[in-house]
Amino acid sequence: MSGIYIHIPFCKQACHYCDFHFSTNFSRSDEMVDMICRELELRSDYLPKGQPVNTIYFGGGTPSLLNASQIEKILSHIHDYYQLDLKELTLEANPDDLHPKKLEDWKALGLDRLSIGIQTFNSDILRFYNRAHTSEESLNAIMLAKSAGFQKLSIDLIYGFPSDDHKIWENDLRIALDQDPGHISSYCLTVEPKTALGNWEKRGLYSHSTEDFAAVQFEILMESMDKAGYVQYEISNFGKPGQFAVHNTNYWSGVPYLGIGPSAHSFDGKVRGFNIANNPKYTEKLKKGELAFTEEPSTTIDITNDRILTALRTIWGLDLISLKTDLGFDLLDLKNKQIALLLNEQLLNLDNNHLTLTTKGKLLADSIAASLFLD
């Protein structure tokens, strides 16, 4: 199996927390779609032979800004140049872009899963984030998507907004669960240097929440999801049984994927790489028939550490037998003391040669993985 990720590098406006690659100039969207199609042609031999594409994911940016003919053109190129056995076709969408006709067109193109960027149901915070939608539009978008027949829905939420208490976050979770989307992805609000929040913090105009405050909200998130029947199958992702995101699950499982578009990342099963994060330079390269792709040099140790990091984030954990068989490292032997300490502190579980994070360990996922990295 394998996947294709399509990065659509356009947004209506810049969210104050976002450091993803995008442009607010949509005037050259047709040209960008042409270049994405050109890259699909040029990189048709990137994915391992004999592994059909079973997931396609339109991310960004804001893919829901594309019109139906633009999406159809990209999908047509994928059908022409790749072997397909599709299990999931996802498009990220903003609530203000969801309208009955557009939803009808998406269904007709074969899209079967929507990931809706809600972030919060609090109108004041939406304005602070510089989001283009309102709380009312969020609720209406979910209703419209369900009415259009989209049975696989996901909504994004952000926690950690600085506040005197946790009432805003608790209310967001209550409203989200009342909508019963089936899948919720939730991420902590972070301050990135080249964002509006980063600039405000430098000037003393904004102070992010403390780590302890964010940790409490993460605990509230895990408890609320569990009570509602959602499984935390990855640190930031919760789904009801049968509604886990196939595409993202494949990411964390080491399945190869091809990233198309400016700034998109790829993984062929061994080596990772990325496209240039610049629309004009990406376009210039593709017009010449050249790739805008750079491989990241990696050693067996790099690949091992990458697997440790990604696998520990999931409910399935790190398969120690597979690690030894595939890459030649016996982690139980090489990191015996560290693993023993983490087990003793109830941060890790070891069962049937699989290491998994405990609920307590999920609060320290990155640092736990780093402690197991090979030098």
Side-chain angles (χ1 to χ4, degrees):
M1 68 180 74
S2 59
I4 294 178
Y5 170 82
I6 307 292
H7 187 83
I8 305 300
F10 300 109
C11 288
K12 288 181 182 177
Q13 57 199 52
C15 298
H16 289 159
Y17 53 79
C18 181
D19 71 340
F20 288 173
H21 172 68
F22 66 90
S23 169
T24 54
N25 181 2
F26 198 62
S27 62
R28 307 188 78 166
S29 64
D30 283 334
E31 181 182 57
M32 179 58 67
V33 168
D34 287 341
M35 293 306 101
I36 284 172
C37 290
R38 181 65 176 136
E39 188 185 2
L40 281 165
E41 296 172 17
L42 292 174
R43 299 186 68 192
S44 59
D45 62 350
Y46 178 82
L47 294 170
K49 291 182 180 179
Q51 295 191 25
V53 172
N54 68 354
T55 64
I56 300 171
Y57 191 105
F58 285 84
T62 312
S64 54
L65 288 175
L66 295 182
N67 60 48
S69 63
Q70 290 172 323
I71 296 174
E72 183 178 23
K73 186 172 187 177
I74 294 171
L75 289 175
S76 177
H77 270 70
I78 294 174
H79 280 272
D80 287 344
Y81 287 91
Y82 296 84
Q83 179 186 355
L84 302 181
D85 181 20
L86 280 183
K87 309 297 183 186
E88 183 182 87
L89 178 46
T90 303
L91 183 133
E92 290 181 355
N94 279 348
D96 44 301
D97 292 328
L98 268 65
H99 306 292
K101 179 61 169 66
K102 184 172 281 192
L103 288 162
E104 180 183 335
D105 290 341
W106 290 346
K107 286 287 289 184
L109 290 173
L111 293 166
D112 64 355
R113 183 175 183 272
L114 294 181
S115 178
I116 306 174
I118 286 172
Q119 317 312 349
T120 178
F121 292 97
N122 185 291
S123 295
D124 291 335
I125 298 176
L126 285 172
R127 284 190 290 271
F128 177 81
Y129 286 160
N130 200 37
R131 296 291 291 172
H133 67 276
T134 65
S135 178
E136 291 75 16
E137 284 177 313
S138 293
L139 294 170
N140 190 52
I142 296 170
M143 182 272 293
L144 287 173
K146 288 184 175 182
S147 297
F150 282 93
Q151 297 180 358
K152 292 190 282 188
L153 290 178
S154 178
I155 64 175
D156 286 357
L157 295 175
I158 295 176
Y159 66 90
F161 182 82
S163 180
D164 293 333
D165 53 38
H166 302 294
K167 290 180 180 178
I168 293 173
W169 179 230
E170 290 169 340
N171 191 56
D172 273 347
L173 288 173
R174 179 186 60 77
I175 296 174
L177 291 170
D178 282 347
Q179 308 315 304
D180 191 26
H183 189 283
I184 294 175
S185 298
S186 188
Y187 308 94
C188 184
L189 178 63
T190 56
V191 179
E192 303 295 344
K194 296 182 180 180
T195 63
L197 287 187
N199 292 328
W200 294 343
E201 190 162 75
K202 280 183 184 177
R203 295 160 55 194
L205 302 175
Y206 172 81
S207 295
H208 63 271
S209 62
T210 65
E211 287 186 8
D212 287 344
F213 181 88
V216 171
Q217 295 211 336
F218 184 55
E219 291 175 321
I220 293 171
L221 168 66
M222 290 190 290
E223 183 179 355
S224 299
M225 293 294 110
D226 183 58
K227 287 182 178 178
Y230 285 70
V231 178
Q232 188 179 17
Y233 67 98
E234 192 272 342
I235 290 291
S236 302
N237 288 271
F238 304 79
K240 286 191 169 181
Q243 298 196 49
F244 299 176
V246 179
H247 186 84
N248 289 347
T249 298
N250 287 348
Y251 278 160
W252 305 307
S253 303
V255 172
Y257 61 90
L258 171 63
I260 298 291
S263 81
H265 284 237
S266 300
F267 177 60
D268 66 2
K270 295 180 180 179
V271 180
R272 296 189 184 274
F274 55 90
N275 282 345
I276 190 169
N278 181 295
N279 288 7
K281 290 182 179 179
Y282 171 84
T283 298
E284 180 183 349
K285 286 256 186 195
L286 269 298
K287 281 185 175 179
K288 295 177 181 177
E290 300 173 0
L291 294 179
F293 177 72
T294 302
E295 284 192 346
E296 296 178 340
S298 59
T299 65
T300 304
I301 288 179
D302 293 330
I303 296 170
T304 301
N305 290 342
D306 185 77
R307 185 181 295 193
I308 291 170
L309 179 67
T310 54
L312 278 180
R313 291 181 63 88
T314 72
I315 192 174
W316 305 281
L318 177 63
D319 184 339
L320 298 171
I321 298 296
S322 176
L323 188 72
K324 184 176 180 180
T325 301
D326 296 345
L327 298 164
F329 293 110
D330 185 341
L331 204 66
L332 281 178
D333 179 49
L334 294 169
K335 293 289 181 176
N336 181 271
K337 291 182 180 180
Q338 292 91 333
I339 292 174
L341 180 62
L342 292 167
L343 291 172
N344 185 58
E345 293 180 349
Q346 298 183 332
L347 297 173
L348 277 182
N349 288 320
L350 174 59
D351 183 46
N352 196 27
N353 286 299
H354 281 71
L355 285 176
T356 55
L357 295 172
T358 64
T359 300
K360 180 181 175 183
K362 289 173 184 176
L363 293 164
L364 303 166
D366 289 345
S367 61
I368 290 172
S371 72
L372 299 177
F373 285 171
L374 302 180
D375 298 328

